[in-house]
Amino acid sequence: MVHSALESPTPIETETSRMGMYEEELKKFNWSLIALEVILFALGIWNLISATAVEDKSLGLYKTQLLWFGIGIILTAVILLVHYSIFSRLGYFLYFVNLLLLAAVLVVGRSSLGAKRWVGIGPFSIQPSEIMKLSMVVCLAKYFETDRTVGGFGFRDLLLPALLVLVPTGLIIVQPDLGTAMILVLTSATMIFFNRVKTRTMLILGMCFVVAAPIVYRFGLKPYQRQRLISFIDPMADPKGSGYNSIQSMIAIGSGQLVGKGYRKGTQSQLNFLPEHHTDFIFSVWGEERGFIGCIILIGLYLAFLLNGLGVAYQSHDKFGLLLALGIVTIFFWHVFINLGMVCGLLPIVGVPLPFMSYGGSSLLTSVICVAILTNIANKKFMF
């Protein structure tokens, strides 16, 4: 419509034009990561109900998981309304707030199963170590965003990033939570090496690791953690003790054979032979009930999710968005890799949950927020 110099569009025309613009934006909106997240979570709830079917607390578990997911969806909507660059401005602030929460856990934290990992906030209990993984990624993305080092990082260049990683890692190990500490270190190391490290520096770091490993093993790990590493090499050396979890998990997955035993028909989980079958060993329940085909489908969904995330990083228009997306995808990769390796007997048992499948409010909430940030980066603009 053409308007004269004295004419202006009517409010109705302006509103119609604006609605059309919103519809166009929604059509272009990249929903793939959120769609995969919802599918994985739905399968996780279905599996969780089966895993806890014979326990008195079964109703509470899946309802609590749904509640945390609902909170995550609300936060997702908020995150999608702003530009992801806000995390660059808040990077160091979020890191230090999370660091204070980790310190608070050691003072006023709630203990469970011999570990002090949770802190109460109102009616909820959160696990700061889970949130620290995302805070660490944001902090490192902020740090490397403005770096202009040429030819790769030297040993001195990595002292500050290493300090940023080692402080929260030390606080998490003290809890103790070796699995989360390992994820934090591996994710941070992946981000640092992505920014290029000099060959000489890599050799020095390798030598430091070789020297530090036996010291950490002897003085940094608790006796049960050392025993887990020994049992990983030979689970049958202590089949009723430290090797029990690994053996039962492999029995559960192997007994599923090609198509599985069927929903709620897994003997290892339903008869409580499989320990922690609603958290760390949730994949074992899935493997027993859905078999090899079900496992391939689930792994395929995770692979599609990770590839979509890498695509977001590759297509990012700025360095911060690239590093932030890469760090988030790395968190998911190490979680899936270590959990599957752990339950299949290929890696030591260190207590790492499977994203969207394992029960745990803080872990689920962090995962949902990570997907929201990735989706924000993928769309590269305000939604409205």
Side-chain angles (χ1 to χ4, degrees), residues 35-111:
L36 287 166
E37 169 192 50
V38 172
I39 293 170
L40 286 167
F41 176 73
L43 293 177
I45 286 293
W46 186 40
N47 198 47
L48 181 62
I49 293 173
S50 174
T52 57
V54 296
E55 299 178 12
D56 294 337
K57 59 182 180 180
S58 59
L59 290 176
L61 286 182
Y62 87 83
K63 286 185 177 180
T64 302
Q65 196 79 336
L66 285 170
L67 174 62
W68 280 109
F69 189 74
I71 295 173
I73 292 300
I74 294 172
L75 292 176
T76 295
V78 174
I79 291 171
L80 292 179
L81 289 173
V82 299
H83 196 274
Y84 64 85
S85 60
I86 191 174
F87 291 100
S88 176
R89 296 192 291 271
L90 296 175
Y92 296 136
F93 173 76
L94 293 174
Y95 172 84
F96 285 110
V97 168
N98 214 153
L99 208 59
L100 291 175
L101 286 174
L102 285 176
V105 167
L106 302 179
V107 180
V108 297
R110 181 172 61 85
S111 299

Side-chain angles (χ1 to χ4, degrees), residues 82-358:
V82 299
H83 196 274
Y84 64 85
S85 60
I86 191 174
F87 291 100
S88 176
R89 296 192 291 271
L90 296 175
Y92 296 136
F93 173 76
L94 293 174
Y95 172 84
F96 285 110
V97 168
N98 214 153
L99 208 59
L100 291 175
L101 286 174
L102 285 176
V105 167
L106 302 179
V107 180
V108 297
R110 181 172 61 85
S111 299
S112 178
L113 300 176
K116 186 181 286 189
R117 302 174 184 171
W118 296 266
V119 63
I121 296 181
F124 300 100
S125 291
I126 64 168
Q127 190 174 344
S129 58
E130 285 290 337
I131 305 172
M132 190 68 211
K133 290 177 291 191
L134 177 56
S135 298
M136 190 76 257
V137 165
V138 175
C139 180
L140 289 179
K142 170 66 176 176
Y143 178 83
F144 290 118
E145 175 189 16
T146 56
D147 184 82
R148 297 293 181 267
T149 302
V150 179
F153 292 105
F155 188 77
R156 291 183 179 179
D157 299 322
L158 295 178
L159 289 179
L160 182 55
L163 184 63
L164 291 172
V165 176
L166 291 177
V167 172
T169 300
L171 291 173
I172 293 171
I173 289 177
V174 172
Q175 293 180 0
D177 188 355
L178 183 60
T180 303
M182 184 181 297
I183 294 289
L184 193 65
V185 171
L186 289 172
T187 300
S188 302
T190 303
M191 292 184 69
I192 290 172
F193 284 113
F194 176 81
N195 284 278
R196 291 190 302 171
V197 177
K198 293 178 180 178
T199 303
R200 180 183 176 185
T201 304
M202 293 182 67
L203 292 174
I204 294 174
L205 292 175
M207 292 174 60
C208 290
F209 175 80
V210 171
V211 173
I215 298 175
V216 172
Y217 177 83
R218 180 66 182 86
F219 301 103
L221 300 182
K222 293 185 177 295
Y224 77 90
Q225 292 172 329
R226 292 197 294 269
Q227 191 59 44
R228 282 181 179 179
L229 293 176
I230 296 173
S231 297
F232 159 66
I233 299 173
D234 183 14
M236 297 307 296
D238 187 12
K240 294 184 178 180
S242 58
Y244 179 82
N245 292 6
S246 181
I247 292 171
Q248 296 303 319
S249 177
M250 288 187 285
I251 290 174
I253 295 174
S255 65
Q257 299 186 32
L258 184 62
V259 296
K261 295 178 179 178
Y263 188 61
R264 291 192 180 183
K265 294 181 180 179
T267 54
Q268 293 300 109
S269 58
Q270 300 298 323
L271 299 178
N272 284 326
F273 287 111
L274 183 65
E276 302 299 326
H277 49 264
H278 62 294
T279 53
D280 297 342
F281 292 93
I282 195 72
F283 183 80
S284 304
V285 178
W286 179 271
E288 184 179 26
E289 296 187 356
R290 282 88 182 177
F292 178 76
I293 293 177
C295 290
I296 291 298
I297 291 173
L298 186 60
I299 293 172
L301 286 170
Y302 277 116
L303 181 60
F305 180 87
L306 293 172
L307 290 176
N308 267 274
L310 287 176
V312 172
Y314 178 76
Q315 296 170 11
S316 178
H317 287 179
D318 63 286
K319 189 174 181 180
F320 177 75
L322 165 65
L323 293 173
L324 182 57
L326 177 71
I328 289 175
V329 173
T330 303
I331 292 175
F332 284 113
F333 169 78
W334 286 118
H335 265 278
V336 174
F337 179 81
I338 293 176
N339 182 273
L340 297 188
M342 180 181 75
V343 300
C344 293
L346 301 176
L347 293 173
I349 296 173
V350 291
V352 172
L354 188 61
F356 307 115
M357 297 288 289
S358 296

